[in-house]
Amino acid sequence: MAGPFYFDHAATTPIRPEVGEAMAPFLGAAFGNPSSTHRWGREARAALDAARERLATCLGARADEVCFTSGGTEADNLAVIGTWRALRKGGRNAVVATTIEHKAVLAAVHQLAKEGGEERLLEVTPSGQVRAEHFDTVVRDDVAIVSVMWVNNEIGAVQDVPRLAGKAKARGVFFHTDAVQAFGKVAIDTARQPVDLLSLSGHKIGAPKGAGAMFIRRGTPIESLFHGGSQDRGRRPGTENVAFAVGLATAAECALREHDAECARLTALRDRLESAIRARVPDIVVHGVGGMRAPHILNVSAPGTDAESMLMALDLAGIAASGGSACQSGSVEPSHVLVALGVPAEIAGAAVRLSLGALTTDAAVARVAEVFPTLVAKARGFAAV
Ligand SMILES: *Cc1c(COP(=O)(O)O)cnc(C)c1O
């Protein structure tokens, strides 16, 4: 049980061996440009087309509804900014997002406010759920696009995306969901769920960092963020990253294949970890309880501790976790997600996110269950429990 133990799968995941193997030819001899008409080009084109088709199948989509991007951040920006820019002339000037979105969506929304858009934020309940009544009052027919993340990356809160997307549709409002943390954890089927745009990131599901994609339903107006070639139907100009497209499609297939078993396994481990910590730290605050939660994220605050010292102590004990999101680590700002939940500043400042995944074994959970309460006791200045 020596460790080290990786509990930061919401920040990034190890590349699956199948993904590395599937990508290898395209980092070697099969280096062609998919736009070339000679044999090298045709070989790359065939692999790219197949990857698009395979990823589309994973999403219940058609191949031309899949657009490859450089990751989740680009997909989120393209969805929010690209759709708003395409629709603003038609009198739909407002853009809506929840207060707990990833910064990639929130910053894109703020950018639109600078460009003359009207920014409206959707409140959430203390357990991180979008308030349906608030959604109905905010999402009116002057809204171009509404963005609601499927699974929150800090607390794991799951939204009822199909229902909210249906409400938006009924008002003619385009609906985007950041499904970066949701893929492989909740059932996604764009053939049955009325979302218009859906973002994915490779490195959260076992593909490399820098690989991403977006589902764009046929007929969704979107302006490209980049200008140049006509790759990806002009939605995403630039020579396609064939290797990463192949890697992403492979990772998505693997994640779906193991979906049921992995969700059951992670839920059991998460629950065991949560109750073990609660048994020895009875006043532990678990963020997001009371609502639907994804199986791989456990975000806890031990009152009287602070996240930075807890994370350092955990790291010394061989346990890698994070405070809030990786993008915010190093900043002293409390998490905007916990603030939106109404968590008091001193509790938010103690929040430690333990995120589970491929590297999470029984032994790893046992180790954290033992170490975490001991570190809390130390931080509180008591003798070890
Ligand atoms: C990681 C993450 C992103 C950003 O994806 P990148 O590929 O790292 O740019 C966006 N949204 C959520 C919910 C994430 O967890």
Side-chain angles (χ1 to χ4, degrees):
M1 237 209 268
F5 298 111
Y6 185 78
F7 275 80
D8 207 8
H9 291 82
T12 198
T13 59
I15 295 178
R16 297 170 188 269
E18 306 92 315
V19 168
E21 277 162 35
M23 284 171 48
F26 306 98
L27 302 171
F31 64 88
N33 183 328
S35 297
S36 302
T37 50
H38 48 59
R39 64 184 60 228
W40 277 268
R42 289 195 302 273
E43 179 183 40
R45 166 64 53 193
L48 180 67
D49 288 350
R52 202 186 294 280
E53 189 80 50
R54 289 161 60 203
L55 186 56
T57 301
C58 290
L59 294 169
R62 302 182 177 105
D64 64 4
E65 293 176 315
V66 168
C67 173
F68 288 109
T69 69
S70 66
T73 299
E74 188 192 331
D76 285 345
N77 273 267
L78 177 58
V80 172
I81 297 177
T83 307
W84 179 83
R85 284 186 186 159
L87 284 163
R88 73 184 140 175
K89 300 138 202 151
R92 289 182 178 267
N93 191 44
V95 50
V96 178
T98 77
T99 48
I100 61 167
E101 292 303 307
H102 189 272
K103 286 280 157 105
V105 166
L106 284 177
V109 170
H110 296 334
Q111 174 59 30
L112 295 183
K114 284 189 207 147
E115 294 179 22
E118 190 199 326
E119 169 181 331
R120 290 185 201 151
L121 294 181
L122 280 171
E123 291 161 12
V124 295
T125 65
S127 60
Q129 305 296 314
V130 169
R131 296 179 189 273
E133 358 40 275
H134 193 223
F135 188 94
D136 291 336
T137 53
V138 166
V139 182
R140 301 190 294 268
D141 60 9
D142 58 348
V143 174
I145 178 153
V146 52
S147 187
V148 177
M149 73 196 314
W150 210 320
V151 171
N152 180 270
N153 52 301
E154 292 190 34
I155 59 168
V158 181
Q159 307 299 332
D160 189 349
V161 158
R163 175 156 168 265
L164 296 174
K167 283 168 171 285
K169 270 257 100 77
R171 293 170 177 80
V173 175
F174 287 90
F175 188 96
H176 167 249
T177 186
D178 175 336
V180 168
Q181 296 288 346
F183 191 88
K185 304 298 189 320
V186 303
I188 295 174
D189 180 3
T190 62
R192 293 186 302 106
Q193 300 157 338
V195 301
D196 297 301
L197 304 124
L198 181 146
S199 306
L200 294 178
S201 170
H203 74 101
K204 308 294 174 72
I205 61 168
K209 284 162 267 299
M214 186 154 67
F215 161 77
I216 307 174
R217 190 177 297 282
R218 276 188 190 174
T220 305
I222 194 153
E223 242 178 51
S224 166
L225 300 184
F226 301 164
H227 304 279
S230 59
Q231 290 93 347
D232 224 316
R233 309 178 152 251
R235 298 174 298 203
R236 213 291 186 166
T239 304
E240 299 92 337
N241 191 336
V242 180
F244 279 27
V246 170
L248 178 52
T250 305
E253 287 174 348
C254 293
L256 285 193
R257 206 173 300 129
E258 66 191 33
H259 178 280
D260 293 354
E262 188 65 355
C263 285
R265 189 181 79 88
L266 296 182
T267 301
L269 289 174
R270 193 267 321 267
D271 290 349
R272 193 191 308 163
L273 183 56
E274 187 176 323
S275 44
I277 293 175
R278 204 188 283 285
R280 286 176 62 199
V281 187
D283 60 345
I284 195 82
V285 177
V286 182
H287 302 291
V289 285
M292 266 273 282
R293 280 194 295 161
H296 65 304
I297 296 175
L298 179 62
N299 191 324
V300 292
S301 293
T305 67
D306 74 279
E308 216 179 298
S309 338
M310 278 300 290
L311 290 172
M312 263 188 327
L314 283 165
D315 192 28
L316 283 173
I319 297 161
S322 84
S325 64
C327 325
Q328 280 169 288
S329 57
S331 82
V332 285
E333 290 276 293
S335 140
H336 72 281
V337 173
L338 297 180
V339 168
L341 261 49
V343 175
E346 70 278 13
I347 301 294
V352 170
R353 180 185 69 183
L354 297 157
S355 49
L356 292 63
L359 299 179
T360 312
T361 57
D362 287 359
V365 165
R367 177 76 179 150
V368 179
E370 180 203 321
V371 168
F372 190 92
T374 307
L375 295 179
V376 169
K378 273 195 191 145
R380 287 171 170 175
F382 302 139
V385 243

